[in-house]
Amino acid sequence: MSDLVEIRWHGRGGQGAKTAALLLADVAFKTGKFVQGFPEYGPERMGAPITAYNRISSKEIRVHSNIYEPDYVVVVDEGLLETVDVTEGLSEDGGIVVNTSKSPREIKAMLNGYNGLVHTIDARKVSVACLGKYFPNTPMLAAIVKVSGVMDKETFLNEMENSFLHKFASKPEVIDGNMNALKMAFDEVK
């Protein structure tokens, strides 16, 4: 990992993009990294486009602004590709991860000439298989960790399990499903 990795999340209110960005910051912090995880607030409501951000570094982070030239972009809702310029400022040395059943080649054709790496994952398939419902943020979180390399798989899974054990202490049945979704998502990223 370079000294600073910047990630921009695009989703819709209620899909968990903000939660995923905050979870990534929390898990990276627990591994000794300097982190930022924050949403961009506006007139958010269920279904409205939202943006969230992560900065992860091995050194102190002194910048406190939105991310305009991210290394990576996560698109939690494929429909945003038609309404939001998700590749704006995106480094071609990084990449984009899109929640879709389409192939990376099909998605690349929709990205206004973006020439960096395009990764896809069917977060709906993973979520329904592991959780019984559609919660795209858990698979998308694992996908961006794998694609960006901000931490190794085992460290990520261990820290996420600890986080889930704390967060879902009164609902232990939720932990296994979420852990299975994270593991399956690592294997499903294309």
Side-chain angles (χ1 to χ4, degrees), residues 21-108:
L22 296 176
L23 267 172
L24 179 55
D26 185 52
V27 169
F29 177 77
K30 289 177 180 173
T31 67
K33 301 292 184 193
F34 292 91
V35 300
Q36 293 178 354
F38 55 97
E40 179 177 356
Y41 285 107
E44 278 80 21
R45 62 193 182 285
M46 188 69 78
I50 66 104
T51 309
Y53 305 93
N54 284 112
R55 285 190 178 94
I56 302 171
S57 179
S58 56
K59 298 179 180 176
E60 187 175 350
I61 301 170
R62 296 186 181 270
V63 63
H64 298 280
S65 67
N66 289 349
I67 296 172
Y68 301 103
E69 296 180 350
D71 300 299
Y72 298 94
V73 165
V74 180
V75 181
V76 181
D77 187 313
E78 175 186 4
L80 292 171
L81 298 176
E82 299 171 11
T83 59
V84 176
D85 183 4
V86 297
T87 60
E88 182 179 3
L90 178 57
S91 169
E92 292 189 359
D93 293 332
I96 186 168
V97 181
V98 180
N99 173 14
T100 182
S101 60
K102 295 180 175 127
S103 72
R105 178 179 288 174
E106 291 173 289
I107 293 299
K108 192 166 198 158

Side-chain angles (χ1 to χ4, degrees), residues 118-151:
V118 176
H119 302 272
T120 61
I121 180 168
D122 189 343
R124 178 178 298 279
K125 179 178 96 173
V126 172
S127 180
V128 170
C130 297
L131 300 166
K133 293 183 180 179
Y134 182 46
F135 297 108
N137 61 338
T138 301
M140 296 307 290
L141 178 57
I144 191 58
V145 168
K146 179 178 182 179
V147 168
S148 68
V150 293
M151 70 186 74

